[in-house]
Amino acid sequence: SQTIHQWPATLVQPVGSPLSLECTVEGTSNPNLYWYRQAAGRGLQLLFYSVGIGQISSEVPQNLSASRPQDRQFILSSKKLLLSDSGFYLCACRQGYHEQYFGPGTRLTVT
Amino acid sequence: AQSVAQPEDQVNVAEGNPLTVKCTYSVSGNPYLFWYVQYPNRGLQFLLKYITGDNLVKGSYGFEAEFNKSQTSFHLKKPSALVSDSALYFCAVRDRSTGKLIFGQGTTLQVKP
């Protein structure tokens, strides 16, 4: 079964600073990968998804971008963070018609 | 448009009592339905899914869910709640054209000793 790693676990960054969150997946190949944001411990907002290397679909126009440089690596970035970027960021993986599996998440606080 | 509704923000039950967390959906065609649980500051954990077959689906940690096509519901149930079941529960439906999951807003389950 697949294992999803996210790095870092927590992050405190000032407004205007850059961001890079990393997600790596083990135990599967050619998965669909997803970035979600969860604000205030409630609903999940899908930010980006990828069906393959270099293929990124954006769900919501915003201050963030995503890249998939390798089959099992998915990166979430920003050039300049906003206060509203604070939240809990979750990476997820799906292969075939099965359920999505989620990583442990990164707690981002923008100050 | 496809959607999922969890009508209760919070459900409170006493330990040992049965619990139900409600979910209704709106999709075109046959739905793929999922339940996830999230503990504080953790990722979502998959509990169970309905794809096809028996309407009663059994999952992890003693949870089960009943698919009801006529009522477009997929309620999560457990015969006897534990304090450790206290968490945030999400229902989701899979968009069959895109493969994306559409999540409900979540229901906080509080099990009191």
Side-chain angles (χ1 to χ4, degrees):
Chain A
S1 63
Q2 57 265 63
T3 303
I4 304 171
H5 303 279
Q6 289 189 242
W7 178 262
T10 59
L11 189 61
V12 180
Q13 291 282 96
V15 169
S17 64
L19 173 74
S20 181
L21 302 182
E22 184 169 346
C23 170
T24 57
V25 181
E26 295 178 355
T28 187
S29 59
N30 196 30
N32 287 3
L33 297 174
Y34 306 82
W35 277 113
Y36 291 88
R37 177 169 60 204
Q38 186 178 31
R42 295 302 290 199
L44 294 160
Q45 180 185 32
L46 179 62
L47 302 175
F48 301 94
Y49 71 96
S50 171
V51 298
I53 295 173
Q55 301 178 63
I56 310 295
S57 295
S58 174
E59 288 295 296
V60 183
Q62 57 204 320
N63 187 41
L64 303 169
S65 62
S67 62
R68 185 170 177 177
Q70 300 181 46
D71 181 45
R72 289 172 285 180
Q73 185 184 30
F74 203 23
I75 297 173
L76 185 69
S77 304
S78 174
K79 292 182 179 178
K80 289 185 177 182
L81 283 169
L82 306 173
L83 285 174
S84 58
D85 291 324
S86 293
F88 193 49
Y89 288 82
L90 291 161
C91 178
C93 165
R94 179 177 70 85
Q95 186 172 32
Y97 287 97
H98 301 290
E99 56 276 9
Q100 288 184 20
Y101 290 95
F102 285 77
T106 294
R107 172 75 59 192
L108 172 65
T109 303
V110 183
T111 59
Chain B
Q2 305 189 68
S3 64
V4 175
Q6 293 181 241
E8 302 154 317
D9 283 343
Q10 182 158 328
V11 171
N12 299 310
V13 298
E15 187 174 30
N17 283 1
L19 70 88
T20 299
V21 183
K22 295 180 180 178
C23 172
T24 58
Y25 64 89
S26 174
V27 300
S28 55
N30 294 321
Y32 289 172
L33 296 159
F34 304 85
W35 274 103
Y36 288 84
V37 60
Q38 185 182 29
Y39 297 97
N41 295 309
R42 303 287 292 275
L44 275 67
Q45 295 180 33
F46 169 72
L47 281 179
L48 52 80
K49 65 182 175 184
Y50 172 82
I51 304 298
T52 186
D54 290 340
N55 290 342
L56 185 63
V57 179
K58 294 188 182 297
S60 306
Y61 312 121
F63 284 94
E64 58 189 27
E66 186 168 10
F67 170 65
N68 187 318
K69 189 171 184 178
S70 62
Q71 296 185 8
T72 62
S73 67
F74 189 55
H75 300 332
L76 182 70
K77 300 181 180 184
K78 188 172 182 181
S80 178
L82 300 173
V83 173
S84 57
D85 292 330
S86 298
L88 181 59
Y89 290 80
F90 289 99
C91 182
V93 63
R94 185 170 161 225
D95 184 316
R96 293 174 70 129
S97 61
T98 66
K100 293 181 285 187
L101 286 183
I102 301 166
F103 285 89
Q105 284 301 300
T107 298
T108 298
L109 173 65
Q110 190 76 255
V111 181
K112 297 186 177 179

